[in-house]
C-alpha cells in the first residue's frame, strides 16, 4: 500500500463539544457510490484525481509520531476521538489499516481518551481487548439495508452485511459498547425495504444514528421524500424507546 506523510493529525469537529477526529488514511477502497461525500470533497480540493485514485488508500506513515506530539498538547480539551470521517478505519481487506487504527485507539485510551469508530469493514474481534481502558470506546458499523444486491450496487467493495453484523454482534457479546449508523438511508424509489427487519437485526446495539441520503438526485425524484424521512424518524425513535437504545437523528 502507498503511504503519505501529514503535518497534523488530530482535528476538532463541529459534532459535539470536545469531539476530535483522526483520518489516518487518504482515500478508501470501499468506493461507495451513494456517492461518498469525502471523495467529492477530496476531488474538489484536487487531493485525488478520480474514483480509481480514491480507491487506492494511502496510509499516513507518520500518524503515530504526530499523535504522540498532538495528544500531549490537546489532551485536556478532548472528550473523545472519532475514527474516521473521511476514510474507513477497518477497511475491508486492509490489515495494516486495521492494525494502525487499533494502535491509535490504544494510545488514546492510555491517555484516558475514549474513541468512537465507524466502519463498513469487519472488526478484528480477536485482536480487541475489553478492559478498563477500552470500556468507554464505542464501535459502530454502517447498515442501511439488509439486501446484499443493494450493498453490491452502493458499497461495492465493502464487507458483506452479514459479516459486518456478525463481527459487531461478537463485540457486543464480549461487553463492548456498539452502535449502528443508518445513514445514508435510501428512499423507497431506490430500494423498497422493511425498516423493522433492519432494526430487529441491530437491536443488540447501545445506540442508533439515523440520517437521510444526500447528494443523490434519486431522493428528490421520490415525491414524498420529506414525509418518508419524517415517518422513518418517528418509527426509529419509538423502536429505540421501547428497546432502551439511544437514538440520534442527523
Ligand atoms: S466507507 Fe465511507 S469513506 Fe469509504 S468510500 Fe464508503 S462512504 Fe466513503
Amino acid at each position: 500500500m502507498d503511504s503519505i506523510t501529514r503535518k497534523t493529525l488530530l482535528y476538532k469537529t463541529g459534532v459535539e463539544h470536545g469531539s476530535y477526529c483522526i483520518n489516518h488514511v487518504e482515500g478508501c477502497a470501499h468506493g461507495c457510490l451513494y456517492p461518498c461525500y469525502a471523495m467529492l470533497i477530496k476531488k474538489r480540493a484536487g487531493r485525488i484525481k478520480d474514483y480509481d485514485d480514491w480507491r487506492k488508500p494511502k496510509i499516513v506513515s507518520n500518524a503515530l509520531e504526530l499523535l504522540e506530539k498532538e495528544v500531549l498538547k490537546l489532551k485536556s480539551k478532548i472528550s473523545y476521538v472519532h475514527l474516521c470521517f473521511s476514510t474507513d478505519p477497518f477497511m475491508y481487506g486492509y490489515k495494516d489499516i486495521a492494525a494502525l487504527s487499533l494502535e491509535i485507539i490504544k494510545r488514546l485510551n492510555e491517555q484516558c481518551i475514549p474513541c468512537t469508530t465507524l466502519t463498513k469493514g469487519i472488526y478484528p474481534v480477536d485482536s480487541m481487548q475489553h478492559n478498563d481502558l477500552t470500556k468507554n470506546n464505542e464501535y459502530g458499523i454502517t447498515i442501511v439495508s439488509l439486501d446484499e444486491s443493494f450493498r453490491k450496487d452502493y458499497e461495492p467493495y465493502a464487507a458483506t452485511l452479514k459479516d459486518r453484523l456478525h463481527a459487531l454482534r461478537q463485540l457486543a457479546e464480549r461487553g463492548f459498547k456498539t452502535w449502528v449508523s443508518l445513514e445514508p438511508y435510501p428512499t423507497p424509489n431506490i430500494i423498497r425495504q422493511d425498516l423493522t427487519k433492519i432494526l430487529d437485526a441491530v437491536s443488540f446495539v447501545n445506540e442508533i444514528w439515523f440520517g437521510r441520503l444526500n447528494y443523490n438526485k434519486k431522493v428528490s425524484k421520490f415525491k414524498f421524500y420529506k414525509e418518508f424521512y419524517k415517518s422513518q424518524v418517528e418509527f426509529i425513535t419509538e423502536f429505540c424507546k421501547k428497546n432502551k437504545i439511544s437514538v440520534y437523528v442527523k
Side-chain angles (χ1 to χ4, degrees):
M1 189 185 352
D2 289 344
S3 65
I4 54 165
T5 56
R6 289 232 175 100
K7 290 193 177 130
T8 56
L9 188 72
L10 272 162
Y11 75 91
K12 204 171 182 322
T13 77
V15 180
E16 269 177 68
H17 178 71
S19 65
Y20 279 69
C21 180
I22 284 180
N23 294 303
H24 50 295
V25 180
E26 175 106 341
C28 181
H30 291 165
C32 299
L33 296 165
Y34 291 108
C36 168
Y37 180 67
M39 184 193 77
L40 297 178
I41 296 284
K42 296 277 178 183
K43 213 168 146 190
R44 207 176 298 155
R47 300 282 289 273
I48 55 150
K49 287 199 293 285
D50 51 24
Y51 179 75
D52 292 338
D53 195 19
W54 173 251
R55 282 207 56 242
K56 287 181 200 131
K58 298 171 195 74
I59 205 157
V60 177
S61 60
N62 60 340
L64 294 175
E65 291 111 85
L66 290 173
L67 182 67
E68 209 161 297
K69 278 188 225 151
E70 292 176 16
V71 84
L72 290 177
K73 277 193 227 150
L74 296 167
K75 201 175 152 181
S76 61
K77 296 182 182 153
I78 302 175
S79 51
Y80 71 92
V81 173
H82 179 69
L83 289 79
C84 305
F85 278 132
S86 70
T87 186
D88 194 306
F90 295 96
M91 209 176 288
Y92 186 47
Y94 286 83
K95 286 189 177 157
D96 291 356
I97 293 175
L100 181 56
S101 301
L102 289 180
E103 188 58 33
I104 288 172
I105 294 167
K106 182 172 158 252
R107 293 192 187 192
L108 287 164
N109 288 167
E110 281 167 357
Q111 298 295 328
C112 299
I113 299 170
C115 297
T116 62
T117 63
L118 183 62
T119 186
K120 292 188 185 85
I122 301 171
Y123 282 107
V125 180
D126 291 333
S127 311
M128 298 166 71
Q129 305 291 325
H130 186 259
N131 55 41
D132 274 357
L133 281 178
T134 64
K135 69 179 182 195
N136 292 321
N137 297 334
E138 294 174 20
Y139 299 96
I141 58 168
T142 301
I143 291 272
V144 296
S145 174
L146 295 176
D147 187 316
E148 259 305 290
S149 50
F150 173 85
R151 200 275 305 160
K152 282 180 190 158
D153 286 347
Y154 283 86
E155 304 167 354
Y157 305 100
T160 65
L161 300 161
K162 201 171 144 224
D163 289 346
R164 243 182 260 182
L165 264 170
H166 178 66
L168 193 73
R169 188 183 276 279
Q170 281 185 302
L171 287 184
E173 285 166 2
R174 292 179 188 196
F176 290 95
K177 285 187 192 163
T178 56
W179 65 289
V180 159
S181 171
L182 290 174
E183 188 196 16
Y185 197 76
T187 43
N189 59 327
I190 297 172
I191 180 168
R192 284 208 165 269
Q193 56 183 1
D194 183 353
L195 182 57
T196 318
K197 286 189 181 152
I198 303 175
L199 292 174
D200 283 344
V202 302
S203 60
F204 61 89
V205 300
N206 303 94
E207 186 164 276
I208 294 177
W209 286 42
F210 181 82
R212 53 164 289 181
L213 172 59
N214 289 302
Y215 314 106
N216 187 315
K217 286 179 187 150
K218 283 185 188 165
V219 172
S220 51
K221 283 193 179 140
F222 183 65
K223 203 172 159 196
F224 303 108
Y225 76 92
K226 284 185 186 153
E227 291 83 352
F228 169 72
Y229 280 123
K230 193 167 171 274
S231 70
Q232 303 302 281
V233 167
E234 284 167 4
F235 191 79
I236 289 174
T237 308
E238 193 51 39
F239 177 90
C240 289
K241 203 170 144 194
K242 213 191 292 174
N243 290 280
K244 297 187 174 56
I245 298 170
S246 304
V247 62
Y248 180 85
V249 176
K250 283 177 90 180

